[in-house]
């Protein structure tokens, strides 16, 4: 089989090549539903989740502290995730994109929309020193 949970913590995904070799017609792939873009998001998001989990695991097992290093790595993954939600899955909106930008300009290591999309919430990765500062920052569309 293709996917599903294994061992409670790992999941498998089909490769992009396997998905591209599916039985979907070229018309369906290139049509108004943007199947290629949606599939690219789903596959790349699975890889980002795996990368995020591996970095967290590596960081917690190394015991070296390095809060800034892990925030930088995880922040980059989080930003790529938001970009994919926005560009490939088209489930972000102007206000969420602006909120993510506000977090990043305020100094967050990363930020992304969260929830079901099409409006809603954003999360930001910040170091402990910035926690209160970012919680109450001003953002243009909030006024």
């Amino acid at each position: 089989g293709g996917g599903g949970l294994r061992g409670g913590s790992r999941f498998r995904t089909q490769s992009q090549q396997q998905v591209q070799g599916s039985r979907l017609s070229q018309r369906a792939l290139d049509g108004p539903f943007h199947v290629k873009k949606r599939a690219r998001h789903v596959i790349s998001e699975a890889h980002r989740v795996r990368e995020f989990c591996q970095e967290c695991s590596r960081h917690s097992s190394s015991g070296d502290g390095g809060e800034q290093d892990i925030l930088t790595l995880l922040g980059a993954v989080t930003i790529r995730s938001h970009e994919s939600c926005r560009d490939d899955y088209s489930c972000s909106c102007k206000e969420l994109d602006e909120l993510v930008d506000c977090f990043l300009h305020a100094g967050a290591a990363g930020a992304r929309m969260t929830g079901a999309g099409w409006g809603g919430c954003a999360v930001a990765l910040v170091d402990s020193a910035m926690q209160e500062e970012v919680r109450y920052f001003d953002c243009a569309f909030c006024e």
Side-chain angles (χ1 to χ4, degrees), residues 41 45 48 77-86 112:
H41 167 75
E45 188 71 359
R48 282 186 292 276
V77 174
T78 305
I79 293 167
R80 289 194 321 267
S81 179
H82 181 76
E83 291 168 346
S84 181
C85 286
R86 180 191 65 213
R112 62 159 286 163

Side-chain angles (χ1 to χ4, degrees), residues 7-82:
S9 65
R10 293 186 182 164
F11 58 91
R12 296 183 334 181
T13 61
Q14 291 181 324
S15 72
Q16 191 166 0
Q17 186 176 15
Q18 288 171 312
V19 172
Q20 288 173 342
S22 70
R23 294 182 184 180
L24 291 173
S25 70
Q26 198 61 40
R27 182 175 175 206
L29 290 171
D30 294 330
F33 296 111
H34 308 285
V35 174
K36 280 183 184 176
K37 286 173 53 175
R38 306 300 189 245
R40 182 175 53 223
H41 167 75
V42 170
I43 293 165
S44 64
E45 188 71 359
H47 290 285
R48 282 186 292 276
V49 168
R50 183 177 298 126
E51 180 183 359
F52 196 97
C53 291
Q54 287 171 341
E55 289 299 333
C56 288
S57 178
R58 187 182 62 76
H59 178 74
S60 65
S61 66
S62 70
D64 65 1
E67 181 178 330
Q68 228 24 71
D69 293 339
I70 190 69
L71 278 176
T72 299
L73 289 168
L74 297 180
V77 174
T78 305
I79 293 167
R80 289 194 321 267
S81 179
H82 181 76

Side-chain angles (χ1 to χ4, degrees), residues 87-109:
D87 301 337
D88 286 342
Y89 212 76
S90 304
C91 63
S92 190
C93 62
K94 178 184 70 141
E95 293 83 0
L96 278 173
D97 295 340
E98 184 176 332
L99 185 56
V100 166
D101 287 343
C102 287
F103 277 131
L104 296 174
H105 284 105

